[in-house]
Amino acid sequence: MKFNPAENIQDLQYFGEFGGVNPSISDSSTYTFLSAKTMFDTFEGNADGCYLYSRHSSPSNLYLGEALAALEGTETANVAASGMGAITQVFLQFCKGGDHIVSSRTIYGGTYAFLKNFTPKLHIETTFVDITKLDIVEAAINKNTKVLYCESVSNPLLEVANIKALADLAKKHNLQLVVDNTFSPLLISPVKLGAHVVIHSLTKFINGSSDTLGGVVCGTQEFINNLRNVNDGASMLLGSTMDSLRAASILKNLRTLHIRMTQHSKNAQFLAEKFEADGLKTVYPGLVSHPSHEIFKSMMNADYGFGGLLTIDVGSLDKANELMELMQFKKIGYLAVSLGFYKTLFSAPGSSTSSEIPKKEQIEMGLSEGLIRFSIGLDNDIERTYHMMKNCMIEIGVLKK
């Protein structure tokens, strides 16, 4: 049967403690046991259904984890207090001193900084590659490589990873393929394409209201158990635990994800086509001109479009800043990092979300100073929004009348 993540979420049904249509929020940091033996068994990981301590797990976090596992089609999932909390625990669970990672070079700046600047302190090295060139990816793999890492749709250049092909490489070299799917929830299902672990920053599209941080690791029961292990689990010992109230809030918002992603995609597709027709250098996976348009089409769950992210290049950082400030003044959206909000967000990633990447490397990967990343909102009349944006571009000289 065709995998449909929205239906998987829809079919989940939880009842609150008193029959509520939302599950009750677990407002406890620690949990009692009726016998000392059960407490011992729980510490040893042999007492299913028992709760020990909220850093390990809680009912609210497990409800959200089950829903996110259904979204990605994995056995289970482990939620964290932030996207970086999810990403870092995965690398540190898979790798030890002397190990090696092959990573896409176009990734979120925080992930890049962790792999470039932090993990070398633990004697874990990373080679950054153009993830779209499979021969270069394979050439970077050595006898110490443990993880192959990419983003389904990269931040901020919107490169598309060929997950099926990368999964074949991972299998050939006995590697763990870890995919950050933050930009494309519902649109792409990496595990169904061969990935071993899928990560999301829940802060973005999945939550969708820019009011909380969160992350998730979706994978096998064995791997998630390892993350939570009280003796050597990276999740348990690093302590990146989500608060139960936040977990309950994100679970509520997850139920409307299919509606929101469809509208984000519809609006972004409209704007991308208009901007490209206006002569702007526009990158969006839904455009035929995107170099990986066909690869995206071959992987996508077709009901939800090509996502809510697009970029344009206006030539210089000064022009980019001038345009973004004017668009904010005209109430088109917000000059802000992050994505997935109901209103459009825009930023110049070279000086914001990707600023951790050295300028020389930004230039090598094609990240220009004039690049603006848009997270397109849920605007009801996107044609009106387009005309407002175009007028701003005309006003500052990016476009002519």
Side-chain angles (χ1 to χ4, degrees):
M1 290 181 63
K2 178 184 174 184
F3 179 70
N4 192 320
E7 288 181 2
N8 284 6
I9 296 169
Q10 179 183 323
D11 289 347
L12 290 172
Q13 193 171 39
Y14 303 123
F15 293 99
E17 186 178 357
F18 302 104
V21 295
N22 289 308
S24 302
I25 298 171
S26 53
D27 193 25
S28 294
S29 61
T30 190
Y31 300 85
T32 190
F33 294 88
L34 297 181
S35 74
K37 171 75 166 57
T38 308
M39 178 182 280
F40 173 79
D41 288 342
T42 304
F43 265 98
E44 294 295 305
N46 300 321
D48 289 340
C50 293
Y51 299 97
L52 170 68
Y53 185 57
S54 285
R55 177 158 53 86
H56 182 256
S57 66
S58 69
S60 294
N61 286 7
L62 289 177
Y63 284 135
L64 177 58
E66 287 175 10
L68 293 165
L71 168 70
E72 287 297 349
T74 60
E75 290 178 1
T76 190
N78 185 55
V79 296
S82 69
M84 285 304 298
I87 289 166
T88 55
Q89 65 181 251
V90 170
F91 285 125
L92 295 179
Q93 193 67 38
F94 277 135
C95 299
K96 62 183 186 306
D99 287 343
H100 175 250
I101 297 164
V102 175
S103 169
S104 171
R105 65 183 182 176
T106 55
I107 53 176
Y108 172 57
T111 311
Y112 177 91
F114 180 72
L115 295 176
K116 180 80 170 182
N117 304 326
F118 191 90
T119 55
K121 299 176 186 178
L122 306 175
H123 305 289
I124 299 168
E125 301 298 329
T126 301
T127 301
F128 296 95
V129 298
D130 183 342
I131 206 70
T132 65
K133 293 185 170 64
L134 296 174
D135 56 336
I136 293 176
V137 175
E138 186 164 25
I141 297 169
N142 64 45
K143 62 184 177 63
N144 296 320
T145 307
K146 293 295 187 292
V147 172
L148 178 56
Y149 175 78
C150 67
E151 297 172 349
S152 300
V153 181
S154 76
N155 187 0
L157 298 182
L158 308 185
E159 293 176 346
V160 177
N162 188 337
I163 297 172
K164 285 183 179 178
L166 292 170
D168 289 340
L169 271 183
K171 184 177 182 180
K172 177 180 177 181
H173 295 278
N174 195 28
L175 308 178
Q176 297 294 321
L177 176 58
V178 178
V179 179
D180 185 330
N181 202 29
T182 298
F183 275 27
S184 44
L186 290 178
L187 316 180
I188 295 174
S189 301
V191 167
K192 298 302 178 182
L193 301 169
H196 299 100
V197 173
V198 180
I199 298 167
H200 284 274
S201 169
L202 303 178
T203 313
K204 314 302 193 303
F205 285 114
I206 287 178
N207 185 52
S209 52
S210 292
D211 61 355
T212 190
L213 299 177
V216 68
V217 180
C218 303
T220 64
Q221 187 70 57
E222 179 183 11
F223 181 63
I224 299 304
N225 286 348
N226 290 341
L227 284 176
R228 292 176 180 154
N229 188 286
V230 297
N231 294 307
D232 61 3
S235 173
M236 182 66 173
L237 299 177
L238 294 174
S240 177
T241 308
M242 178 174 284
D243 177 75
S244 293
L245 288 168
R246 291 305 189 187
S249 175
I250 295 170
L251 179 59
K252 293 184 182 79
N253 289 344
L254 178 64
R255 294 164 181 159
T256 62
L257 180 63
H258 61 294
I259 300 170
R260 292 184 283 109
M261 289 308 301
T262 301
Q263 188 69 18
H264 284 304
S265 295
K266 177 184 174 184
N267 286 350
Q269 182 79 40
F270 180 89
L271 291 175
E273 291 174 0
K274 289 289 189 181
F275 292 155
E276 187 173 60
D278 288 333
L280 291 168
K281 185 178 178 182
T282 308
V283 176
Y284 180 67
L287 295 174
V288 175
S289 60
H290 191 287
S292 298
H293 175 71
E294 291 301 323
I295 290 174
F296 194 112
K297 282 178 67 176
S298 73
M299 298 190 297
M300 70 190 297
N301 298 314
D303 296 336
Y304 314 105
F306 292 86
L309 275 296
L310 65 85
T311 69
I312 63 171
D313 195 327
V314 296
S316 71
L317 181 59
D318 287 342
K319 279 295 181 188
N321 289 338
E322 188 179 1
L323 176 59
M324 292 187 295
E325 289 170 3
L326 182 59
M327 288 191 297
Q328 180 167 257
F329 178 75
K330 297 289 189 179
K331 301 181 181 178
I332 293 168
Y334 294 106
L335 172 50
V337 299
S338 199
L339 49 126
F341 194 43
Y342 81 95
K343 205 162 175 68
T344 295
L345 305 177
F346 32 82
S347 62
S351 56
S352 59
T353 52
S354 296
S355 60
E356 297 94 337
I357 302 174
K359 285 293 181 185
K360 180 182 177 183
E361 294 181 35
Q362 289 188 23
I363 293 169
E364 288 175 356
M365 67 177 66
L367 176 49
S368 64
E369 289 189 342
L371 190 80
I372 301 175
R373 187 191 75 182
F374 289 85
S375 171
I376 304 303
L378 301 173
D379 307 36
N380 182 57
D381 186 348
I382 195 62
E383 189 165 356
R384 170 179 176 267
T385 301
Y386 162 68
H387 288 298
M388 293 171 70
M389 295 173 84
K390 185 174 181 179
N391 287 338
C392 289
M393 294 175 191
I394 292 170
E395 185 171 334
I396 68 165
V398 168
L399 290 176
K400 294 180 181 179
K401 283 187 178 181

